[in-house]
Amino acid sequence: MQVTEIYKSLQGESTYTGLPCVFVRLTGCNLRCTWCDSEYTFQGGRKLTVEEVHDEVSRLSPNGGLVEITGGEPMLQEREVVPLMQRLLDDGYRVLLETSGERLLERVPARVIKIVDVKCPDSGEGDTFCLENLEALTAHDEIKFVLSSRADYDFAREFTERHRLAEQVNAVLFSPAFRKDAAGARTSSQCLLDPQELAEWMIADNVPARLALQVHKLIWDPATKGV
Ligand code: SF4
């Protein structure tokens, strides 16, 4: 499999936020979100076997714990990624899969916690969500909307209500996008959508969703990679 980086940090954008976590970031993505902060994963990386990735995870976190498979889009490498996730589960790791929602998720092992994006209109990749994935969701999964405008918020709210997402998954996350070129100041003023404004909309509408900030960008310089 083609891997951009494997590193240990804190989980930063789900209900697992703040927990130590090993990240396996795979190379390649078939989407081009306008605010993407992972463009460095589109090319390059190194070729590793499932066994080599597993060994590196074990070295960084020898006593189990949280592992997140992310990218790029990890499900582009489904043939290797599914056995890797199964191997990590068998070893007692809690496995998160962060995915754009564009690929079919039916072959993801049931015990994997899927954190599935639904791309909003101003990402430039609206309408890419694979609706069949709604059938693959379980009560421990999470759905994430990254928002950069009021139009994105309205889309996310309407989609959440229409598909009764809050009744199907552990959490529906509304996350303000950070500016792609955010660097230096570790503050939410670097978001494309003001979190305070988003919070006020969510309170007014009593939305069954959780406001989620990318906390690693408030802890480290937002331009820092490998955290
Ligand atoms: S799906 Fe993720 S990695 Fe791909 S372009 Fe969008 S934000 Fe970037």
Side-chain angles (χ1 to χ4, degrees):
M1 56 205 315
Q2 202 67 21
V3 180
T4 294
E5 55 188 356
I6 304 175
Y7 60 95
K8 191 171 185 183
S9 184
L10 296 183
Q11 216 285 336
E13 42 189 322
S14 71
T15 63
Y16 295 85
T17 291
L19 292 174
C21 181
V22 175
F23 291 84
V24 178
R25 188 178 294 286
L26 302 187
T27 307
C29 187
N30 54 334
L31 303 189
R32 291 293 180 267
C33 303
T34 50
W35 34 253
C36 178
D37 59 0
S38 306
E39 290 178 329
Y40 64 102
T41 68
F42 290 170
Q43 286 139 14
R46 54 194 169 125
K47 204 168 185 59
L48 296 176
T49 64
V50 167
E51 209 51 39
E52 286 169 330
V53 174
H54 172 270
D55 290 350
E56 181 64 4
V57 171
S58 304
R59 189 185 69 75
L60 291 168
S61 187
N63 302 315
L66 204 57
V67 181
E68 176 167 314
I69 313 294
T70 186
E73 173 44 53
M75 289 306 286
L76 292 178
Q77 302 188 58
E78 179 177 339
R79 206 178 50 185
E80 293 88 10
V81 122
V82 168
L84 171 66
M85 293 189 290
Q86 191 58 57
R87 179 79 204 279
L88 292 167
L89 288 168
D90 292 345
D91 273 6
Y93 289 97
R94 181 178 282 184
V95 179
L96 309 179
L97 170 69
E98 175 101 26
T99 173
S100 71
E102 187 267 347
R103 300 273 105 184
L104 257 184
L105 300 174
E106 61 186 5
R107 289 191 57 232
V108 175
R111 281 189 294 146
V112 169
I113 296 155
K114 301 184 287 293
I115 303 171
V116 184
D117 275 10
V118 179
K119 299 298 181 190
C120 297
D122 286 343
S123 70
E125 294 289 4
D127 294 328
T128 56
F129 182 72
C130 174
L131 278 170
E132 286 165 84
N133 283 335
L134 292 176
E135 307 299 320
L137 294 173
T138 69
H140 66 202
D141 292 331
E142 306 190 3
I143 288 269
K144 175 155 57 75
F145 298 87
V146 178
L147 311 174
S148 58
S149 64
R150 175 74 200 200
D152 283 354
Y153 168 76
D154 288 336
F155 166 84
R157 183 171 48 87
E158 198 273 328
F159 191 100
T160 298
E161 283 166 12
R162 178 157 34 102
H163 296 289
R164 303 166 78 98
L165 294 182
E167 295 167 28
Q168 295 188 55
V169 293
N170 179 36
V172 179
L173 308 165
F174 282 14
S175 179
F178 262 73
R179 285 205 309 270
K180 197 154 92 169
D181 58 354
R186 296 168 289 159
T187 80
S188 62
S189 62
Q190 304 236 41
C191 290
L192 288 169
L193 174 61
D194 183 351
Q196 182 180 334
E197 208 168 359
L198 174 58
E200 287 166 5
W201 296 339
M202 291 175 72
I203 293 164
D205 293 334
N206 208 25
V207 174
R210 178 189 299 241
L211 194 155
L213 293 173
Q214 292 181 293
V215 297
H216 48 291
K217 294 186 179 175
L218 304 173
I219 299 170
W220 291 280
D221 183 323
T224 308
K225 304 288 182 281
V227 294

